[in-house]
Amino acid sequence: QVQLVESGGGLVQAGGSLRLSCAASGRTFNRPVMGWFRQRPGKERDFVAAMVWNGGRPYYADSVQGRFTISRDNAKNTVYLQMNSLKPEDTAVYYCAAGIGGRSRGAYDYWGQGTQVTVSS
C-alpha cells in the first residue's frame, strides 16, 4: 500500500506562483513514478507532470511546459509541483499519484485526496 497526502493548494492571482507537495509513505518502491494530475470543473482528470523517484528526465503536459516544475526530495519521500505564471485555466483540483509511469491515469493506482488550486483573473 502507498499513502499520498497533498498540500499547498490555495487561491492566487493570475501570474502568481504556488508550490504543491505530496508526501508519500508505505511501499513506494513498488511504484517507481510519481505524477501530478488535475481535474478542472466539468472535465476529466488530466496529466500534468511526472518523474521517476530514482532519477530520469521529468515530463510535462504541453499546457504547463515551461511554467511548472516537478521535483522530489527522496530523503523526505516528497514530490513537489512548482507552478509559476499561473493562469485562470490552471484552476483545478490537483492530485498526486504513484504508479508505473506515463501520461495515462490508468498507469497510476494510488492517489492522494487532492488539493484545490484557484487562480483569479
Side-chain angles (χ1 to χ4, degrees):
Q1 285 281 29
V2 175
Q3 294 80 40
L4 304 172
V5 179
E6 301 105 332
S7 61
L11 173 64
V12 64
Q13 287 188 332
S17 299
L18 280 176
R19 189 178 80 157
L20 306 182
S21 301
C22 175
S25 60
R27 302 171 70 85
T28 55
F29 57 87
N30 281 345
R31 297 297 183 267
V33 179
M34 293 296 295
W36 286 97
F37 287 74
R38 67 185 181 186
Q39 189 162 15
R40 288 171 279 193
K43 303 291 186 181
E44 293 188 349
R45 194 173 297 185
D46 294 327
F47 171 78
V48 173
M51 71 182 308
V52 180
W53 274 116
N54 61 0
R57 189 169 184 170
Y59 44 102
Y60 300 92
D62 290 345
S63 58
V64 306
Q65 181 78 48
R67 299 188 298 123
F68 290 12
T69 302
I70 187 172
S71 62
R72 71 192 189 281
D73 183 334
N74 287 11
K76 295 182 179 179
N77 256 16
T78 299
V79 174
Y80 304 97
L81 185 68
Q82 177 67 43
M83 306 185 294
N84 298 329
S85 301
L86 282 162
K87 305 175 182 179
E89 52 264 42
D90 294 318
T91 294
V93 178
Y94 284 72
Y95 298 88
C96 72
I100 59 173
R103 299 170 184 263
S104 169
R105 291 196 309 272
Y108 298 84
D109 50 358
Y110 291 101
W111 294 84
Q113 81 285 359
T115 186
Q116 176 71 47
V117 171
T118 302
V119 184
S120 63
S121 57

